[in-house]
Amino acid sequence: MIELYKEDPLYLAVMHNDIPKIKSLKNKGFTLSEFVVKLLTCPVGGAAKVGEFTLPWYGHIKAVKGLSGQKLIDVLHRLTEELGEKMYCSSAYDWEYSKRFYEPELFACVLDCFDNRKIQKKKVWTFIIENDRVELMAIAAEHGWLKMPKKRDELIEQASRLGKTECLAWLLDFKEKTADLAKEKEKAEKKLMRELNADPNSVSEIKKRFGFNKKEDGTLAVTSCKRGLGSSLEVTVPEKVGKDTVTEIGTYAFSTFAGRLTKECNEFRHNIEKVRLPDTIKAIRSNAFSHCVSIKEINIPDGVEVIEERAFSMCRSVKEMTVPDSVKSVGKSAFAYCRALERIKLPKSLEQIPGGTFADCIMLERIQLPEKLKEIGRYAFNRCLALKEIDIPKGVEILRTYSYNHCYALEKAVFHEGLKKLEKNVFECCKSLKEVVLPEGLEEIGHLTFAGCLSLEKIYLPRSLRKMQNYTVNTVTPQSVFDNCPKLTAMVYKGSYSEKYCKRNNIPYEIREEN
């Protein structure tokens, strides 16, 4: 503040509300410096280019906060008078979060002295109505805050909903005194007719329903679905917007978990029942449709190449899906928690089912795995409670941890040569599994892989097995690969590693006939 005093004595005199000093300085031709003018009227970024800005700015804020009562009001009016324009209302003043802002005299002063466009009006209106402060409502109206009939009617609805009778009565009286009801009615009717007669496929109408970003290749990605057409719960994504082709459904574009959604938009997305995607779509990005819990029908166009992680997770009303042969990769948990999903067709050339892809798809009974599949990831089919039968393609070398864990209805598992390793807990708690034939070439079975398979009666172990891990922790008896399999008899070759493992862990076994 000392440096500021040297540069601008008039500013300091005003801040001290020293009337004689102010008059004396003005008689000598003093005015507020360019620096102070920018300090008080520009956003921080604009004023920061003039001299050493930060210290004087916070010095000014500290000085303002040290004022109170009529002195504060006098100083703010005097500053505005000397500036010849309204001050910039930075959040650093902190009035919108302070009780003293809502003292009627100071409230009127701030609206007189500061650029109202920078005041957080929504927050202010919420305070006024929730506290039934009619006197503040009148001040705001005098400063033009109720010029827009739409805002006035929104506040009437809000006051009515909250039961704030004084504000409601004042607003209704204000509307009666100031509104040109005939003109407003005519305007509303014209707007309604424009909406009814608008071409739903025109660029302006499409952009009311969707948000878009232009990609580097000149095509468009859908970034958000804002609302439907009329009251319909069916959404059709356009193939083109003007001359630009739509090729991508972006991250969280339809998701109810997207950030900054209005209540109305969130409710609409929550209730969408059907989505039609155009044949131009090439990619469906992460979480694009996640938590769209009411979707019953959605197509994946032939031409889509990429489906990213969690793209359809928690679409818990969809029963059937077809993933076209054009899809080259599917992300983690892409269809997880689709709890009504009964049937899904996968592309023939798919090489990987990543972790959690179908986790908790509790109604999924059967799924044909692609012949070119090489990997089934962790938790890929975890808790697929209705899954009855699986056929692991011969290209799969490893079944990852928990990949078929808790598949209670699983009765049949078919394996082919090429499988080398079963990681831990793969078939844990598959309570309906009765017989398993493991192929030659299998070398390792992780701990608790078949634990809790209560119906498992026979498992045919190959000669190639070299390692079977027990689950061991301190103070707990080691648990075998077949822990809690009360009906099990292992079928082993004489002198094999499997026979020795069964002997060592007291697992009932029989000797298999040599081929």
Side-chain angles (χ1 to χ4, degrees), residues 200-203 205-207 209-212 220 222 224-225 235-242 244-249 254 276-281:
N201 295 315
S202 68
V203 172
E205 288 302 307
I206 288 173
K207 288 187 175 180
R209 305 198 306 273
F210 301 97
F212 299 95
L220 298 178
V222 178
S224 66
C225 177
V235 176
T236 299
V237 175
E239 182 176 311
K240 285 192 172 185
V241 181
D244 298 323
T245 303
V246 178
T247 61
E248 182 177 304
I249 306 299
F254 285 74
R276 299 297 301 171
L277 301 179
D279 292 339
T280 53
I281 297 295

Side-chain angles (χ1 to χ4, degrees), residues 125 128-129 131-141 164-171:
W125 277 127
I128 290 173
I129 290 178
N131 292 276
D132 232 1
R133 298 287 297 275
V134 172
E135 73 281 15
L136 299 181
M137 185 168 283
I139 293 169
K164 302 301 178 180
T165 54
E166 291 189 28
C167 277
L168 178 60
W170 189 94
L171 284 164

